[in-house]
Structure formats: C-alpha cells, structure tokens
Amino acid sequence: MGNLVYPNLCAVCEQKLAQQDLPMCLSCQFKLPKTDFHKEKENEFTERFWNRIPLENGAAIFYYRKAGLTAQLIHQFKYHNKRKIGSQLGEYYGGILASTPSFQEIDLIIPVPLHRDKERKRGYNQSAIFGSGLSSQMGIPMLKDCLRRTIFTKTQTRKGTLDRLENVENIFEVATPEQIEGKHILLIDDVMTTGATLEACAIPILQLPGSKVSMVTMAIAID
Ligand SMILES: [Zn+2]
C-alpha cells in the first residue's frame, strides 16, 4: 500500500508530522487560509447562490487559489490516493459544525456524485470521503446513492463549463425521493468554483415537498 509512509508527512509541506489527527503540520495549519464562514449565516459562499436557489447554510473550510497551499492539499487528496486527507478534514470541520447553531437541523448528508467512470478510475468519490468525516463528527447519516448523474460531462471540472450547458437542472436526479422528501440535506463537494454543480444537485432536491438544502465544501475558489 502506497499509504504506509503517508501518516508521517505533512500533506502541504511534506515535513514530518508530529500529530496524526490532521493531515498537515502546525505551521501549515496556521498558514492555510481559513474562511470561518460557519460563523456567519450570510457569507461569500451563500452569496454565490443569491438569485439562483434558496440555501439554508453554506460554508467552506479554506479559500482556494491556484497554486496556493489549499490547492496543494486538495491535489494530494484527489490525485495521489490519500483518502485520509479528506476524512481527516471532514472530521475536523464536522467537529466545528456539530457545535454551530445554524447546522443543527440537518437530517442527511449527501455527497455530489462522481460519474461512475471517473469514480472507477480514481477508486473513490472524494466528496463522499470528506462527507464520511463530517457524518461521523456531526452524528448525521450520509446517503451515497440517492442522487445520480443523468449525463456525463467530460470537462465538468473546468470552470464555467456547466453554465454553458442548456439543461443544467437535468444533470442530476433523485433516485429515491422518499428518502429525501421533507428533509434538510447537507450537500458536500470538494471545491466550489461557480457553484454550478452544487446548484444542479440542489435543484431536484428542492423540487421535493418540504426539502431544504445546505452546503459544505473543503474549499471555495477565489481568483
Ligand atoms: Zn506543513
């Protein structure tokens, strides 16, 4: 297993790690740009959804800039098979959200689904790994397969691509509406850029009677 050497090194600067509960060293923890969005009901995250969809709460742990420290951290997580980074960040933020008043009324955690081909290639859905950490600390169950993709968008990660598709609202569908109806759903993704993917996930959920949506991501892109 390639992961054997990992727990001893900081995922950002690759110095030896003294502690094991977070993937980065104390110095990198201090330097990573935290948003503290959970402290404010209206913030830069929720603002991105104004005039698009009703959002109960929105938060990201870190700001994300190209070639910045957060980008390094998330790159290690997504492309170097270091799942532990995602689950540890989920546990870290889940611990914070568990005592944040605005996040007390969530019923279910749902990760943004990866296309099956992509998940097979990578071996895991990074949003579900992050979501499982949040789930364990918040004491809220995670449902993985109730939301599914209806079409495959090859360049989906490229900024703005989804916005150009005509039927953004039809990219995802709820496979098991009876599990979601009337529930407050916490949608999970890795990095929020335009928010188009999260919005496309929220739309079919919000069409069910009494359903509400909040969102949490590891990072929010700013440029
Ligand atoms: Zn470090």
Side-chain angles (χ1 to χ4, degrees), residues 139-155:
I140 297 165
M142 180 169 79
L143 273 184
K144 254 197 83 179
D145 300 312
C146 60
L147 202 61
R148 64 184 174 210
R149 280 180 187 264
T150 55
I151 59 166
F152 180 49
T153 54
K154 225 181 186 174
T155 51

PDB file of all heavy atoms in Angstrom, residues 139-155:
ATOM      1  N   GLY A 139     -22.716  13.335  13.655  1.00  0.00           N
ATOM      2  CA  GLY A 139     -23.719  12.348  14.050  1.00  0.00           C
ATOM      3  C   GLY A 139     -24.920  12.342  13.111  1.00  0.00           C
ATOM      4  O   GLY A 139     -26.050  12.105  13.531  1.00  0.00           O
ATOM      5  N   ILE A 140     -24.679  12.634  11.840  1.00  0.00           N
ATOM      6  CA  ILE A 140     -25.746  12.686  10.833  1.00  0.00           C
ATOM      7  C   ILE A 140     -25.418  11.656   9.753  1.00  0.00           C
ATOM      8  O   ILE A 140     -24.298  11.610   9.266  1.00  0.00           O
ATOM      9  CB  ILE A 140     -25.828  14.103  10.208  1.00  0.00           C
ATOM     10  CG1 ILE A 140     -26.210  15.130  11.278  1.00  0.00           C
ATOM     11  CG2 ILE A 140     -26.823  14.135   9.051  1.00  0.00           C
ATOM     12  CD1 ILE A 140     -25.977  16.560  10.859  1.00  0.00           C
ATOM     13  N   PRO A 141     -26.406  10.821   9.379  1.00  0.00           N
ATOM     14  CA  PRO A 141     -26.104   9.795   8.372  1.00  0.00           C
ATOM     15  C   PRO A 141     -25.819  10.372   6.991  1.00  0.00           C
ATOM     16  O   PRO A 141     -26.339  11.433   6.636  1.00  0.00           O
ATOM     17  CB  PRO A 141     -27.377   8.935   8.341  1.00  0.00           C
ATOM     18  CG  PRO A 141     -28.448   9.765   8.949  1.00  0.00           C
ATOM     19  CD  PRO A 141     -27.781  10.728   9.886  1.00  0.00           C
ATOM     20  N   MET A 142     -24.990   9.672   6.241  1.00  0.00           N
ATOM     21  CA  MET A 142     -24.692  10.054   4.857  1.00  0.00           C
ATOM     22  C   MET A 142     -25.344   9.036   3.918  1.00  0.00           C
ATOM     23  O   MET A 142     -25.257   7.839   4.143  1.00  0.00           O
ATOM     24  CB  MET A 142     -23.194  10.087   4.611  1.00  0.00           C
ATOM     25  CG  MET A 142     -22.836  10.483   3.184  1.00  0.00           C
ATOM     26  SD  MET A 142     -21.081  10.842   2.938  1.00  0.00           S
ATOM     27  CE  MET A 142     -20.430   9.174   2.844  1.00  0.00           C
ATOM     28  N   LEU A 143     -25.994   9.565   2.888  1.00  0.00           N
ATOM     29  CA  LEU A 143     -26.596   8.704   1.856  1.00  0.00           C
ATOM     30  C   LEU A 143     -25.816   8.890   0.567  1.00  0.00           C
ATOM     31  O   LEU A 143     -25.723   9.995   0.054  1.00  0.00           O
ATOM     32  CB  LEU A 143     -28.041   9.114   1.602  1.00  0.00           C
ATOM     33  CG  LEU A 143     -29.154   8.532   2.452  1.00  0.00           C
ATOM     34  CD1 LEU A 143     -30.485   9.025   1.917  1.00  0.00           C
ATOM     35  CD2 LEU A 143     -29.112   7.017   2.464  1.00  0.00           C
ATOM     36  N   LYS A 144     -25.255   7.825   0.034  1.00  0.00           N
ATOM     37  CA  LYS A 144     -24.387   7.962  -1.144  1.00  0.00           C
ATOM     38  C   LYS A 144     -25.091   7.829  -2.480  1.00  0.00           C
ATOM     39  O   LYS A 144     -24.695   8.441  -3.446  1.00  0.00           O
ATOM     40  CB  LYS A 144     -23.258   6.934  -1.085  1.00  0.00           C
ATOM     41  CG  LYS A 144     -21.917   7.551  -0.734  1.00  0.00           C
ATOM     42  CD  LYS A 144     -20.769   6.613  -1.081  1.00  0.00           C
ATOM     43  CE  LYS A 144     -20.392   6.727  -2.553  1.00  0.00           C
ATOM     44  NZ  LYS A 144     -19.274   5.840  -2.915  1.00  0.00           N
ATOM     45  N   ASP A 145     -26.123   7.009  -2.556  1.00  0.00           N
ATOM     46  CA  ASP A 145     -26.623   6.664  -3.886  1.00  0.00           C
ATOM     47  C   ASP A 145     -28.011   7.205  -4.214  1.00  0.00           C
ATOM     48  O   ASP A 145     -28.639   6.749  -5.162  1.00  0.00           O
ATOM     49  CB  ASP A 145     -26.618   5.141  -4.067  1.00  0.00           C
ATOM     50  CG  ASP A 145     -25.207   4.589  -3.909  1.00  0.00           C
ATOM     51  OD1 ASP A 145     -24.296   5.169  -4.542  1.00  0.00           O
ATOM     52  OD2 ASP A 145     -25.013   3.631  -3.147  1.00  0.00           O
ATOM     53  N   CYS A 146     -28.493   8.185  -3.440  1.00  0.00           N
ATOM     54  CA  CYS A 146     -29.846   8.649  -3.723  1.00  0.00           C
ATOM     55  C   CYS A 146     -29.870   9.758  -4.769  1.00  0.00           C
ATOM     56  O   CYS A 146     -30.918  10.117  -5.276  1.00  0.00           O
ATOM     57  CB  CYS A 146     -30.544   9.080  -2.452  1.00  0.00           C
ATOM     58  SG  CYS A 146     -29.705  10.388  -1.642  1.00  0.00           S
ATOM     59  N   LEU A 147     -28.689  10.304  -5.085  1.00  0.00           N
ATOM     60  CA  LEU A 147     -28.594  11.325  -6.130  1.00  0.00           C
ATOM     61  C   LEU A 147     -27.729  10.718  -7.225  1.00  0.00           C
ATOM     62  O   LEU A 147     -26.688  10.126  -6.935  1.00  0.00           O
ATOM     63  CB  LEU A 147     -27.902  12.553  -5.523  1.00  0.00           C
ATOM     64  CG  LEU A 147     -28.090  13.923  -6.155  1.00  0.00           C
ATOM     65  CD1 LEU A 147     -29.553  14.333  -6.135  1.00  0.00           C
ATOM     66  CD2 LEU A 147     -27.267  14.956  -5.389  1.00  0.00           C
ATOM     67  N   ARG A 148     -28.157  10.842  -8.492  1.00  0.00           N
ATOM     68  CA  ARG A 148     -27.305  10.266  -9.544  1.00  0.00           C
ATOM     69  C   ARG A 148     -27.229  11.168 -10.757  1.00  0.00           C
ATOM     70  O   ARG A 148     -28.128  11.968 -11.017  1.00  0.00           O
ATOM     71  CB  ARG A 148     -27.790   8.864  -9.915  1.00  0.00           C
ATOM     72  CG  ARG A 148     -29.164   8.844 -10.514  1.00  0.00           C
ATOM     73  CD  ARG A 148     -29.629   7.422 -10.778  1.00  0.00           C
ATOM     74  NE  ARG A 148     -31.015   7.459 -11.224  1.00  0.00           N
ATOM     75  CZ  ARG A 148     -31.898   6.493 -11.016  1.00  0.00           C
ATOM     76  NH1 ARG A 148     -31.550   5.407 -10.355  1.00  0.00           N
ATOM     77  NH2 ARG A 148     -33.128   6.609 -11.456  1.00  0.00           N
ATOM     78  N   ARG A 149     -26.148  11.019 -11.484  1.00  0.00           N
ATOM     79  CA  ARG A 149     -25.942  11.794 -12.698  1.00  0.00           C
ATOM     80  C   ARG A 149     -26.762  11.233 -13.831  1.00  0.00           C
ATOM     81  O   ARG A 149     -26.868  10.030 -13.991  1.00  0.00           O
ATOM     82  CB  ARG A 149     -24.463  11.749 -13.117  1.00  0.00           C
ATOM     83  CG  ARG A 149     -23.620  12.697 -12.339  1.00  0.00           C
ATOM     84  CD  ARG A 149     -22.170  12.630 -12.765  1.00  0.00           C
ATOM     85  NE  ARG A 149     -21.408  13.454 -11.840  1.00  0.00           N
ATOM     86  CZ  ARG A 149     -21.075  14.715 -12.093  1.00  0.00           C
ATOM     87  NH1 ARG A 149     -21.367  15.264 -13.241  1.00  0.00           N
ATOM     88  NH2 ARG A 149     -20.414  15.411 -11.192  1.00  0.00           N
ATOM     89  N   THR A 150     -27.330  12.127 -14.631  1.00  0.00           N
ATOM     90  CA  THR A 150     -28.095  11.650 -15.776  1.00  0.00           C
ATOM     91  C   THR A 150     -27.301  11.748 -17.066  1.00  0.00           C
ATOM     92  O   THR A 150     -27.530  11.027 -18.004  1.00  0.00           O
ATOM     93  CB  THR A 150     -29.410  12.439 -15.929  1.00  0.00           C
ATOM     94  OG1 THR A 150     -29.087  13.826 -15.993  1.00  0.00           O
ATOM     95  CG2 THR A 150     -30.314  12.191 -14.749  1.00  0.00           C
ATOM     96  N   ILE A 151     -26.327  12.674 -17.139  1.00  0.00           N
ATOM     97  CA  ILE A 151     -25.465  12.733 -18.326  1.00  0.00           C
ATOM     98  C   ILE A 151     -24.027  12.900 -17.885  1.00  0.00           C
ATOM     99  O   ILE A 151     -23.748  13.355 -16.782  1.00  0.00           O
ATOM    100  CB  ILE A 151     -25.835  13.890 -19.292  1.00  0.00           C
ATOM    101  CG1 ILE A 151     -25.745  15.241 -18.583  1.00  0.00           C
ATOM    102  CG2 ILE A 151     -27.201  13.671 -19.892  1.00  0.00           C
ATOM    103  CD1 ILE A 151     -25.754  16.429 -19.533  1.00  0.00           C
ATOM    104  N   PHE A 152     -23.107  12.519 -18.748  1.00  0.00           N
ATOM    105  CA  PHE A 152     -21.693  12.650 -18.419  1.00  0.00           C
ATOM    106  C   PHE A 152     -21.127  13.917 -19.030  1.00  0.00           C
ATOM    107  O   PHE A 152     -21.243  14.159 -20.217  1.00  0.00           O
ATOM    108  CB  PHE A 152     -20.923  11.434 -18.937  1.00  0.00           C
ATOM    109  CG  PHE A 152     -19.454  11.487 -18.642  1.00  0.00           C
ATOM    110  CD1 PHE A 152     -18.998  11.786 -17.360  1.00  0.00           C
ATOM    111  CD2 PHE A 152     -18.524  11.249 -19.640  1.00  0.00           C
ATOM    112  CE1 PHE A 152     -17.639  11.842 -17.092  1.00  0.00           C
ATOM    113  CE2 PHE A 152     -17.167  11.295 -19.365  1.00  0.00           C
ATOM    114  CZ  PHE A 152     -16.718  11.600 -18.101  1.00  0.00           C
ATOM    115  N   THR A 153     -20.520  14.750 -18.203  1.00  0.00           N
ATOM    116  CA  THR A 153     -19.863  15.962 -18.700  1.00  0.00           C
ATOM    117  C   THR A 153     -18.373  15.815 -18.502  1.00  0.00           C
ATOM    118  O   THR A 153     -17.870  15.873 -17.403  1.00  0.00           O
ATOM    119  CB  THR A 153     -20.384  17.213 -17.974  1.00  0.00           C
ATOM    120  OG1 THR A 153     -20.225  17.002 -16.577  1.00  0.00           O
ATOM    121  CG2 THR A 153     -21.834  17.459 -18.296  1.00  0.00           C
ATOM    122  N   LYS A 154     -17.699  15.617 -19.586  1.00  0.00           N
ATOM    123  CA  LYS A 154     -16.257  15.315 -19.587  1.00  0.00           C
ATOM    124  C   LYS A 154     -15.422  16.411 -18.947  1.00  0.00           C
ATOM    125  O   LYS A 154     -14.518  16.159 -18.178  1.00  0.00           O
ATOM    126  CB  LYS A 154     -15.825  15.170 -21.048  1.00  0.00           C
ATOM    127  CG  LYS A 154     -14.926  13.983 -21.314  1.00  0.00           C
ATOM    128  CD  LYS A 154     -14.588  14.020 -22.797  1.00  0.00           C
ATOM    129  CE  LYS A 154     -13.808  12.826 -23.241  1.00  0.00           C
ATOM    130  NZ  LYS A 154     -13.642  12.865 -24.704  1.00  0.00           N
ATOM    131  N   THR A 155     -15.733  17.653 -19.266  1.00  0.00           N
ATOM    132  CA  THR A 155     -14.904  18.763 -18.801  1.00  0.00           C
ATOM    133  C   THR A 155     -15.557  19.448 -17.614  1.00  0.00           C
ATOM    134  O   THR A 155     -15.412  20.627 -17.402  1.00  0.00           O
ATOM    135  CB  THR A 155     -14.704  19.788 -19.923  1.00  0.00           C
ATOM    136  OG1 THR A 155     -15.993  20.122 -20.440  1.00  0.00           O
ATOM    137  CG2 THR A 155     -13.845  19.228 -21.024  1.00  0.00           C
TER     138      THR A 155
END
